[in-house]
Amino acid sequence: KQLYFMTLLSTLASKVRTIIARGLLIYVDTMQPFHKSSKVLKNHAVTLTTQIAPLINTQSKLYGWGTSADLSVNVPVYSWTSVSMGTSSALAIRSDGLLFTWGGNPSGLLGDGTLVNKSSPVQIGNNSWTQVIYSNSNNAYGIDTLGRLYGWGNNSSYYVGDGTTVSKSNPVQIGSPVSFNSVSAGNFYTLATSTTGLLYGWGTNTL
């Protein structure tokens, strides 16, 4: 059993599909980050909901590792402040506040108005964002610098929060005129807090 386990680890560690180095996004099928040189990584601004792990280093460059089937892409050399991963998609806020998405696009998950997968980052609107997250239900949420809350993607069981069950391929504002400062998604529900300290929730309401 020990020999089998060591052989399996060796196989995983050597199964590298994509390496894009020097300030670009890196996706490798290994159990640890792979890069030419050692980097000091931030321990915040990272959301992980899949087998792909993103990290942003102290120079605000974006790195990742894990299963790379849908996300082997070249990310331009910009400064990034946060990244959130879905099952096969990614959201990232650039240092100027603009939102970019790429990867799989089921139910309009990328928010670019299409259902087409994207192999490179596409800009979503012109809002300046403070927080963006994916949920496990193929939908996403974001809060911009004005405190406006948006949802998009799969909308079965009212996941998006706009009072309908129609999936959205573009971000739609929800909860207006409330101003929000945080949003968090569970498996089939979402919670958000307002700037006045009130808690809001929507989606599936079962134990």
Side-chain angles (χ1 to χ4, degrees):
K1 289 184 179 180
Q2 183 177 5
L3 178 60
Y4 172 80
F5 181 70
M6 295 302 295
T7 302
L8 178 61
L9 285 181
S10 177
T11 301
L12 289 173
S14 63
K15 190 181 178 184
V16 178
R17 290 185 181 174
T18 304
I19 302 173
I20 306 173
R22 300 192 62 80
L24 304 181
L25 189 64
I26 300 171
Y27 282 113
V28 296
D29 280 346
T30 68
M31 302 302 291
Q32 59 185 5
F34 184 96
H35 193 258
K36 287 185 177 180
S37 60
S38 177
K39 296 292 183 181
V40 178
L41 300 173
K42 294 180 180 179
N43 60 1
H44 62 280
V46 172
T47 300
L48 176 61
T49 60
T50 182
Q51 294 176 330
I52 301 170
L55 282 174
I56 299 173
N57 73 4
T58 51
Q59 285 75 48
S60 297
K61 293 179 180 179
L62 184 59
Y63 296 83
W65 63 94
T67 301
S68 59
D70 297 314
L71 288 170
S72 299
V73 298
N74 186 339
V75 176
V77 181
Y78 295 118
S79 294
W80 303 88
T81 60
S82 71
V83 58
S84 178
M85 307 301 296
T87 302
S88 63
S89 311
L91 294 163
I93 300 177
R94 206 167 64 182
S95 56
D96 57 5
L98 293 176
L99 173 63
F100 291 80
T101 66
W102 64 95
N105 199 13
S107 302
L109 179 59
L110 295 184
D112 67 338
T114 77
L115 301 177
V116 180
N117 296 345
K118 298 299 187 297
S119 61
S120 60
V122 293
Q123 182 177 329
I124 308 302
N126 294 303
N127 293 41
S128 180
W129 301 86
T130 60
Q131 182 188 7
V132 288
I133 63 169
Y134 273 128
S135 80
N136 291 330
S137 305
N138 281 332
N139 54 334
Y141 306 95
I143 299 174
D144 67 12
T145 53
L146 298 178
R148 296 175 298 194
L149 176 63
Y150 293 81
W152 63 95
N154 175 36
N155 201 15
S156 60
S157 299
Y158 305 99
Y159 293 144
V160 169
D162 66 340
T164 77
T165 55
V166 179
S167 295
K168 302 297 188 297
S169 60
N170 287 301
V172 294
Q173 187 175 353
I174 57 179
S176 177
V178 177
S179 178
F180 292 88
N181 57 19
S182 71
V183 60
S184 180
N187 285 333
F188 305 106
Y189 64 92
T190 306
L191 299 173
T193 56
S194 71
T195 53
T196 58
L198 296 178
L199 178 65
Y200 293 79
W202 62 95
T204 302
N205 195 23
T206 58
L207 295 176

